[in-house]
Amino acid sequence: MTVVRKVPLPAGQPREWYVAHNRRLKAMRLAIALLDSGVYTPDRATDRRICGLAQRIGVHRPSRTTCRAVRDLLPAPTRR
């Protein structure tokens, strides 16, 4: 397992930049956890399911915007 060193965020950015950055990180964590739990498509990733998973993995309850970002990260269903 590779250990990734945390690097401090750059100073001097507007507050919105930090909010968006942290939201993307949270969405990625939740999307990975959803994939690990067997949820592979955005239509199965409801806000309720995402919030329940967040509680289970110890992440603060995500906003509706973050839930939307999580669904955007999941792969779209493929047509056969």
Side-chain angles (χ1 to χ4, degrees):
M1 177 185 229
T2 305
V3 177
V4 179
R5 245 181 23 164
K6 286 192 174 185
V7 179
L9 293 175
Q13 298 293 330
R15 178 167 167 43
E16 295 80 28
W17 185 89
Y18 297 104
V19 170
H21 175 76
N22 288 331
R23 178 169 284 144
R24 284 189 302 268
L25 289 178
K26 185 180 211 176
M28 283 190 284
R29 260 187 240 115
L30 289 167
I32 291 167
L34 278 172
L35 291 169
D36 288 345
S37 70
V39 177
Y40 300 112
T41 56
D43 58 326
R44 293 196 55 218
T46 62
D47 285 1
R48 186 178 200 167
R49 181 172 276 171
I50 293 170
C51 290
L53 183 68
Q55 183 179 12
R56 210 170 32 215
I57 66 172
V59 175
H60 285 284
R61 182 180 175 87
S63 66
R64 295 180 93 183
T65 304
T66 303
C67 289
R68 193 174 324 115
V70 170
R71 283 189 288 277
D72 289 343
L73 289 171
L74 294 175
T78 56
R79 304 240 177 216
R80 294 179 190 211

